[in-house]
Amino acid sequence: MEIDIKQPILDKNDKIAAALRSKLDKHHVYVIDLLASPGSGKTSTILATIDALRDEFNIAVIEGDIASSVDAEKIKDYGIPAVQINTGGACHLEANMISKAIDLLDIERLDLIIIENVGNLVCPTDFYLGENTKVMILSVPEGDDKPLKYPGVFQASRAVILNKIDTMPFFNFNREAFDEAVKNLNPQAPIFPIAATKGDGVDAWAEWLRKQIHAIQ
């Protein structure tokens, strides 16, 4: 006899996430669950997004890592509220963790919360965190074959950010093949090529996000 422990875990998670979503809806807070591999540029993308939108929206960040508070401190140095979650080894964030983190934020004053999930292309896709949308970041050095190897994360994402496009001359990255693979998995997802540390392409991504935030306000 096989015992499926995954479904009860997901059911409990989804109930907490649904309650959290209802709470956030009352305050018109838009939430992104940002998914990516380690080193893809999640934090640099968050900082570039903050630069593009901070004059218009009140933003907070929830940082998920196995250990340390390095990224949360970077966000705080930017003058943005940040809450660090250390999973202690778990490969993803869960709704109960996000609920506790949000209790530490003044959501009545917020328009946008960015969740930086644990660097992983598999586990985080299964867990609803009460977010409005999941967004995937892939960096050019990771290779154009990631949609073929990790289809689930691309299918779960409402938008895809291709980061570090300034490094493309140094890597054998087939942009056409990448775009086609993403579109085959998720035809509705826009792809935003950016170089987060230089600010290249960030305006188009920020404009898309701006429209999503305004839609719930």
Side-chain angles (χ1 to χ4, degrees), residues 7 13 17 21 50 70 78 81 88 91 96 104 111 113 129 133 145 147 166 182 190 198 204-206 216:
Q7 197 56 50
N13 178 86
R21 181 67 262 158
I50 290 168
V70 173
Y78 243 55
C91 60
N96 66 313
L104 300 176
D111 303 299
I113 297 175
L129 304 179
T133 187
D145 59 352
D166 53 320
V182 172
K198 297 182 177 180
W205 150 247
I216 69 163

Side-chain angles (χ1 to χ4, degrees), residues 27-47:
H27 297 285
H28 307 286
V29 181
Y30 194 87
V31 181
I32 295 176
D33 180 14
L34 202 56
L35 311 176
S37 300
S40 63
K42 293 191 298 297
T43 304
S44 61
T45 298
I46 290 172
L47 293 176

Side-chain angles (χ1 to χ4, degrees), residues 9-25:
I9 292 173
L10 291 178
D11 287 345
K12 180 180 179 181
N13 178 86
D14 288 349
K15 290 177 181 177
I16 296 172
L20 183 56
R21 181 67 262 158
S22 179
K23 177 180 179 180
L24 292 164
D25 282 342

Side-chain angles (χ1 to χ4, degrees), residues 75 93 109 132 135 169 214:
I75 302 298
L93 296 175
R109 297 173 58 85
N132 294 86
V135 174
H214 281 312

